[in-house]
Amino acid sequence: MNIKVYELRDDELKAFERVAASLPEGCEVSWSPACLTRETIDSLDGAEGIVIVNKSPLDAEMLELLHERGVRYIATRSIGYNHIDVASAKRLGIHVCNTTYPPYGVAEFAVMLMLMALRKYKPAMWRQQVNDYSLAGLQGRELRTLTVGVMGTGRIGRAVIEYLSGFGCKILAYDPYPNAEFAERHGVTYVDLDELYGASDLITVHVPLMDATRGIIGADAIAKMRDGVLLVNVSRGELMDTDALIEGVETEKIGALAMDVFAEEDGIYHVNRTHDILANRNMAYLRQFPNVILTQHIAFYTDIDVDSMVEQGIRGVVDMAAGECATEL
């Protein structure tokens, strides 16, 4: 089998070489730093399987072109797979899988954002740049005194709860499929969304992006929250209605906002745009608030997680061909 890996970064090369050397006999893998597009499709070189990330969107038309060129297996080196029209792929007989990675890197990042927002890191850092070391306006809050609402108790949500348990805060959780054994072990109380909104000082979002969750944090949800609520999102930007977030920050209904993701971040995050005019007004506007922290989708970016995504992406193609891929969609 011939496998082609696209969008491979320099920091992924070591993992690529390690995995390539350990593939079964008969499997050949090559790589390119380029995205897979209509303009670069001729670089497939007869590949039956491809590995991509989200800068290579595969819509129905693109999938048709790939199918015509013999592609039968697609793996994305990411948990999210909204950049692939999975239904069209299945119709064409193309197998698709995503990847997973240990949840701890993202969970640690989420807790870091909580602490940064609670301790007003952003204005404190700003002030140091102009030698202002005053205290006024920088008084923070202690996490152990708060009620934290965790939306979604999948692998990452559970890891966040494990870390939060050490702080001594009260933890509420929402998930359509509650894990009673986990809740009992970590002192977590499962509640419905309305109760979580109304009872939480801090809410962290760990649900997948799908039609039912798109914009789940909108004006109606925010209105049910406590005044001065702190919101954290390291999942997907589209889970939050950006206009509602802006309204919440402007009216001080939202006391602090910390996000590692943003709606319509493609083409901005993970790219050097130093000398460019960015056409994302909401991002530019939210960034200027002293109580809003935006990071460039790096919660996943640890040595362990990067290595895991490269390995699972390549091996996902091999496993799908063998009919034994645990993450096939």
Side-chain angles (χ1 to χ4, degrees):
M1 173 184 283
N2 186 359
I3 303 170
K4 186 69 173 278
V5 179
Y6 286 90
E7 304 181 60
L8 197 75
R9 304 184 306 268
D10 289 346
D11 58 275
E12 296 176 305
L13 265 175
K14 185 177 180 180
F16 171 87
E17 292 169 353
R18 177 181 58 77
V19 176
S22 65
L23 290 177
E25 185 176 350
C27 288
E28 297 183 5
V29 59
S30 59
W31 67 275
S32 169
C35 299
L36 178 58
T37 65
R38 288 164 179 77
E39 289 70 34
T40 62
I41 196 169
D42 289 336
S43 66
L44 281 169
D45 299 326
E48 187 179 356
I50 59 173
V51 184
I52 62 166
V53 201
N54 63 342
K55 292 180 185 175
S56 298
L58 303 182
D59 58 17
E61 182 180 348
M62 186 67 176
L63 288 166
E64 290 275 4
L65 295 174
L66 292 172
H67 185 265
E68 290 172 5
R69 286 164 172 76
V71 172
R72 296 297 180 266
Y73 305 98
I74 298 172
T76 178
R77 302 193 308 280
S78 59
I79 293 177
Y81 49 88
N82 299 83
H83 52 293
I84 303 173
D85 186 340
V86 177
S88 293
K90 288 183 176 180
R91 176 176 54 79
L92 291 166
I94 298 176
H95 298 264
V96 181
C97 75
N98 65 343
T99 57
T100 62
Y101 45 81
Y104 305 107
V106 174
E108 288 177 8
F109 200 91
V111 175
M112 180 193 74
L113 288 180
M114 295 176 197
L115 295 172
M116 289 167 65
L118 285 169
R119 298 309 300 265
K120 303 190 177 179
Y121 135 88
K122 185 175 177 180
M125 291 296 292
W126 278 358
R127 290 185 188 186
Q128 291 188 50
Q129 306 309 312
V130 293
N131 289 335
D132 178 357
Y133 303 106
S134 60
L135 291 175
L138 297 182
Q139 188 175 82
R141 303 169 71 189
E142 298 182 18
L143 185 53
R144 66 181 180 84
T145 68
L146 305 182
T147 297
V148 179
V150 179
M151 291 176 59
T153 55
R155 295 170 67 247
I156 294 175
R158 292 197 302 273
V160 168
I161 289 171
E162 290 174 2
Y163 289 137
L164 289 175
S165 298
F167 285 88
C169 50
K170 179 180 179 180
I171 304 172
L172 304 179
Y174 165 78
D175 195 285
Y177 305 100
N179 187 326
E181 185 273 333
F182 177 84
E184 183 176 358
R185 188 167 72 249
H186 292 280
V188 176
T189 303
Y190 274 100
V191 295
D192 62 30
L193 269 181
D194 284 352
E195 184 173 350
L196 184 143
Y197 292 151
S200 300
D201 302 296
L202 186 159
I203 296 173
T204 181
V205 183
H206 303 284
V207 298
L209 179 63
M210 55 185 70
D211 290 342
T213 60
R214 186 177 297 273
I216 191 170
I217 302 297
D220 290 344
I222 293 171
K224 298 173 183 176
M225 297 177 188
R226 290 184 172 181
D227 292 344
V229 65
L230 191 159
L231 298 179
V232 174
N233 183 6
V234 297
S235 298
R236 296 296 294 273
E238 290 79 5
L239 293 169
M240 293 182 159
D241 181 329
T242 309
D243 289 334
L245 292 179
I246 291 173
E247 175 73 14
V249 173
E250 288 180 334
T251 61
E252 301 184 27
K253 177 70 175 181
I254 296 174
L257 175 66
M259 301 197 299
D260 185 53
V261 289
F262 206 93
E264 300 179 2
E265 67 181 52
D266 291 347
I268 300 178
Y269 284 175
H270 303 172
V271 181
N272 185 348
R273 302 292 303 274
T274 303
H275 302 292
D276 301 336
I277 303 298
L278 302 184
N280 191 320
R281 296 180 183 182
N282 286 338
M283 179 185 291
Y285 184 62
L286 268 176
R287 190 182 301 279
Q288 53 89 29
F289 288 107
N291 58 341
V292 173
I293 300 170
L294 301 183
T295 53
Q296 58 267 48
H297 204 148
I298 54 174
F300 76 96
Y301 196 52
T302 69
D303 51 353
I304 291 173
D305 289 352
V306 168
D307 187 273
S308 178
M309 285 185 283
V310 172
E311 176 162 11
Q312 288 194 36
I314 296 172
R315 292 198 180 280
V317 172
V318 177
D319 290 346
M320 284 190 290
E324 52 188 30
C325 179
T327 60
E328 183 168 353
L329 302 171

